[in-house]
Amino acid sequence: MTTNRVRRYAARTLTTTIAACAVAAAATLPASAADQPTRQLLMADCASGEGKCTFNSPRFEEAYLGEFRQVSNSLFNCSTSDATQAMTWDDTVGSTDSLGVSVTAGGKIAGIVDLSITASYSHSWSSSHSESSSLNMTVKPGEVGWISRAQVMQKVSGTWQTHYDSPKWGHYYWYFQDTITGPVQNGTDGKSNAVVVKSRKMTAAEKRSCSEGSRTGGTFVQER
């Protein structure tokens, strides 16, 4: 074999070897971010049951009183004296995950969390709480009043494990951290639910509405 032929053969061999190594290296590289599932996709598979999911090692934080929310209609006092009226109220508080997505919107998520907490703490967990009652409310002239309520809440953190029968996004298992915030029993960690009457001065437009029809010199209720 001539010197030139040897050189051309060696060059072709080297090129083939480099190409093969490049293919092998590419096969061992980690998947790009575009190939990774989002938390929303994994949670959707947990909710639908496509992924066999567990919520592992749940850890409770100290309970706290949540924000006050209006839970009744509003009472407007267009008269010149205090107005007292019995007002009914109702409130439903749900649970959300760390992305602010509702845990109570159907699917299997709430049941999976409840199962994990029950196994770890020997008590059940509810993803929502509903309560209703009535309260006498006094509103001063030229003001609007309503009933507000705050629910005792608690955060529980854990690790979601999603298992697939066949690899999805290249793996049988996926894991991610999550924190779920939900209502808990009144008195948890010494915290109590609260129901209060709130009021404010009417706006100029609201005062003008007091002169409409039967509202003159009386009261009226506006749905929340």
Side-chain angles (χ1 to χ4, degrees), residues 165-196:
D165 292 332
S166 300
K168 191 169 185 179
W169 297 290
H171 294 278
Y172 284 98
Y173 291 91
W174 288 94
Y175 302 86
F176 63 93
Q177 301 294 316
D178 194 16
T179 298
I180 295 174
T181 304
V184 289
Q185 185 176 357
N186 189 36
T188 300
D189 292 338
K191 306 300 189 300
S192 300
N193 298 330
V195 179
V196 298

Side-chain angles (χ1 to χ4, degrees), residues 95-173:
S95 300
T96 56
D97 68 8
S98 51
L99 294 178
V101 178
S102 173
V103 175
T104 57
K108 302 177 180 293
I109 299 299
I112 296 171
V113 176
D114 181 33
L115 184 65
S116 175
I117 292 174
T118 300
S120 299
Y121 296 93
S122 299
H123 67 78
S124 61
W125 173 85
S126 177
S127 62
S128 66
H129 174 78
S130 296
E131 197 169 321
S132 62
S133 188
S134 62
L135 184 66
N136 282 334
M137 183 169 62
T138 299
V139 180
K140 292 187 175 300
E143 293 189 355
V144 53
W146 64 94
I147 299 170
S148 284
R149 179 179 181 274
Q151 169 72 37
V152 178
M153 307 290 287
Q154 196 168 33
K155 296 179 184 294
V156 56
S157 299
T159 302
W160 283 101
Q161 174 185 298
T162 307
H163 171 222
Y164 295 99
D165 292 332
S166 300
K168 191 169 185 179
W169 297 290
H171 294 278
Y172 284 98
Y173 291 91

Side-chain angles (χ1 to χ4, degrees), residues 20-43:
C21 290
V23 171
T28 60
L29 287 174
S32 67
D35 298 325
Q36 307 295 310
T38 63
R39 272 187 44 187
Q40 291 91 330
L41 289 173
L42 292 172
M43 286 291 278

